[in-house]
Amino acid sequence: LKLCKKRLLGLPQLRDAERLIVASTIQELRAMPEVVFSVGMTCEGCSGAIERILGKIEGVQKVACDLEKKEVAVEYEEGKTEPSAMHEKLQKWATAAGKELGPCP
């Protein structure tokens, strides 16, 4: 993000208005909320399925699975999705896969 900011804000052809847009977009990306779900993943197949399922939800920006901790961290855009919608998708997967899912944070 820092490298991207340096490159974009340092371009001479960018006008002041464009620089403001780039700077505000970078600020919004930093302020994105994150939610962490407790998921009974046991293998990379599980984590891959979860990444695909959550990645299809509009507003989800990043999905990071930690197999050791059995946690899924999701960065998302407020107003486009919410943790309960993600939890519903995870619940469908968990039921079909016979895995455990903690409560919605």
Side-chain angles (χ1 to χ4, degrees):
L1 187 60
K2 288 180 184 179
L3 181 60
C4 178
K5 181 179 176 182
K6 267 187 182 175
R7 285 183 181 167
L8 288 174
L9 294 178
L11 293 174
Q13 62 268 33
L14 284 181
R15 293 184 215 123
D16 289 338
E18 291 167 327
R19 281 190 169 90
L20 284 174
I21 291 169
V22 169
S24 70
T25 302
I26 290 169
Q27 224 22 50
E28 286 174 24
L29 288 173
R30 281 191 191 134
M32 231 176 268
E34 180 181 85
V35 63
V36 178
F37 297 99
S38 175
V39 183
M41 300 176 288
T42 55
C43 66
E44 289 182 19
C46 294
S47 62
I50 288 170
E51 288 173 357
R52 282 190 301 278
I53 290 165
L54 294 177
K56 291 179 182 179
I57 299 173
E58 183 181 354
V60 169
Q61 296 299 310
K62 181 180 175 185
V63 180
C65 295
D66 187 327
L67 282 171
E68 287 183 25
K69 291 182 180 179
K70 296 185 182 275
E71 291 181 343
V72 179
V74 184
E75 289 182 13
Y76 65 98
E77 293 178 57
E78 282 184 305
K80 290 195 176 183
T81 191
E82 55 188 41
S84 62
M86 293 178 248
H87 192 266
E88 283 179 33
K89 297 286 188 182
L90 288 172
Q91 185 63 59
K92 287 180 185 177
W93 169 82
T95 301
K99 305 294 180 183
E100 293 182 19
L101 175 64
C104 186

